[in-house]
């Protein structure tokens, strides 16, 4: 999650584009559109899709915003063929471009079946039965939700809690019975989803969140501030992982000023910063070239993809994905071709989706559609074939389901 107010204004003013999708491939791979669903009255939709399986059934949750004061805002949940399972409309008086934040597909209520969980402009976070749409849990927020709710053990008690923020900067940890374990004001806007992990390797979890005032805050399991760290610009995207092979986990913050910073999870020390250009975005880190060093993959506004050495932020390679755009979401990572290795899937604002080799930046396949895109791709193996499907929500509210196929195979 994770955008500037200026960008939000840009999204509201964006014009609607239509058009069909075009697959393109490299020597061995191509991206094929399997189906397309959804619609919106505006072209600025920028909250990402969630996808997963429930009892062996595919579930694709699509957050759709619309014109303020009008009908059309909804949480739309689809099956694996793009057919509607159910939808939860947002009333006209709460309909905006932010009507439904990034959803999650996760088991929170404890029935061993994942729910679809989303926050909305109705100022609540709701967990729905993923197959029927029946509400299983509701939690009141102090303002509308902007980022993806996180299901994780934030207290170290062995059970999952819901960690949720709202846009004016309140973070809460909540149990399935509705009990608020702790709730804290952040005194700043929050556009980046919270993250829960044992960052300092002491056996207990921490909850971290990046803020619009250029600060990253770490809370311990009781909700006490463990440390704060300053970064250059508003934090709009974040990721985390052990990127330098030490005991601690690092938090990666990307900012509007164009900086990616690696922050030591033990004490908040900024280990390195790398200026990439305006509106930096960062995706999940991993060793993409098999050299034993974790790479940090990031983008900037104009559509350049970077691979950074996780130890010091040195640029290993760059790839220009487009001739220049207004913003670029971060890349996603997952095995889309079934070879057992993670691929990068990068989208650009001008409507293209690219499968990129994480070792050297080679573009192996590309799909283009004549519509704007502001949200990162979502990867999930929803048909259990060993390959992750690619789901991309375009600004016009249409989600496209893509599969990576051999260039020698026919499309389905």
């Amino acid at each position: 999650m994770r955008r500037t107010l200026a960008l939000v204004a840009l999204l509201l003013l964006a014009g609607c584009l239509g058009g069909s999708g075009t697959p393109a491939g490299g020597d061995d791979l191509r991206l094929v559109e399997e189906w397309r669903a959804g619609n919106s009255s505006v072209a600025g939709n920028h909250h990402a899709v969630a996808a997963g399986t429930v009892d062996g059934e595919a579930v694709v949750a699509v957050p759709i915003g619309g014109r303020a004061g009008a009908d059309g805002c909804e949480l739309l949940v689809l099956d694996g063929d793009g057919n509607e399972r159910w939808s939860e409309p947002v009333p006209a008086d709460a309909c905006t471009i932010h009507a439904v934040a990034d959803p999650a597909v996760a088991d929170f209520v404890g029935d061993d079946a994942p729910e679809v969980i989303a926050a909305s402009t109705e100022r609540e976070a709701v967990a729905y039965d993923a197959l029927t749409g029946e509400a299983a849990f509701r939690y009141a927020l102090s303002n509308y939700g902007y980022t993806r709710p996180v299901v994780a053990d934030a207290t170290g008690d062995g059970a999952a809690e819901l960690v949720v923020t709202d846009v004016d900067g309140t973070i809460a940890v909540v149990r399935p019975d509705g009990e608020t374990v702790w709730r804290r004001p952040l005194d700043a806007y929050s556009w980046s989803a919270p993250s829960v992990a044992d960052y300092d390797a002491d056996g207990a979890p921490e909850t971290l969140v990046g803020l619009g005032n250029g600060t990253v805050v770490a809370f311990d399991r009781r909700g006490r501030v463990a440390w704060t760290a300053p970064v250059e610009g508003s934090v709009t995207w974040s990721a985390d992982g052990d990127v330098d092979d030490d005991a601690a986990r690092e938090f990666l913050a990307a900012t509007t000023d164009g900086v990616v910073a690696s922050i030591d999870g033990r004490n908040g020390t900024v280990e390195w910063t790398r200026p990439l250009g305006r509106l930096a975005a960062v995706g999940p880190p991993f060793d993409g070239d098999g050299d034993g060093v974790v790479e940090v993959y990031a983008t900037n506004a104009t559509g350049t993809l970077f691979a950074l050495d996780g130890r010091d932020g040195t640029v290993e390679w760059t790839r220009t994905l487009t001739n220049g755009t207004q913003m670029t979401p971060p890349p996603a990572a997952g095995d889309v071709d079934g070879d057992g290795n993670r691929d990068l899937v990068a989208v650009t604002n001008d409507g293209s989706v690219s499968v990129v080799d994480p070792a050297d930046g080679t573009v192996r396949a590309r799909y283009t559609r004549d519509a704007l895109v502001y949200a990162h791709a979502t990867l999930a193996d929803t048909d259990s074939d060993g390959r992750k499907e690619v789901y991309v929500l375009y600004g016009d509210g249409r989600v496209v389901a893509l599969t990576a196929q051999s260039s020698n195979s026919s499309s389905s």
Side-chain angles (χ1 to χ4, degrees), residues 264-330:
D264 191 315
R266 293 171 296 185
N267 53 24
T269 299
V270 178
E271 296 182 328
W272 53 260
T273 61
R274 178 60 55 188
L276 300 182
R278 188 174 59 88
L279 298 179
V282 64
F286 64 100
D287 180 6
D289 55 12
D291 65 352
V293 175
V294 172
E295 281 75 40
V296 174
Y297 296 98
T299 58
N300 64 13
T302 59
T304 301
L305 176 63
F306 299 83
L308 309 176
D309 186 314
R311 298 169 297 183
D312 58 13
T314 302
V315 176
E316 294 189 0
W317 55 257
T318 65
R319 177 66 58 188
T320 300
L321 297 173
T322 183
N323 291 325
T325 57
Q326 298 166 340
M327 59 81 66
T328 304

Side-chain angles (χ1 to χ4, degrees), residues 35 50-60 79-80 105 333-340 378-391 401-404:
W35 51 259
T53 58
V54 179
D55 295 334
E57 300 283 340
V59 171
V60 183
D79 66 15
V105 177
D335 181 8
V336 300
D337 60 3
D339 68 354
T378 297
L379 311 184
D381 183 7
T382 51
D383 59 7
S384 302
D385 68 348
R387 300 178 301 165
K388 291 187 182 292
E389 286 70 52
V390 179
Y391 298 100
L402 306 171
T403 57

Side-chain angles (χ1 to χ4, degrees), residues 106 113 161 171 216 223 237 255 271 301 316 330 372 392 397 410:
E161 289 89 26
I171 185 169
V216 176
W237 304 88
T255 75
E271 296 182 328
E316 294 189 0
L372 302 175
V392 179
S410 61

Side-chain angles (χ1 to χ4, degrees), residues 228-249:
T228 63
V231 291
E232 301 173 26
S234 299
V235 180
T236 47
W237 304 88
S238 62
D240 69 289
D242 179 12
V243 302
D244 56 7
D245 198 27
D246 62 6
R249 192 175 184 91

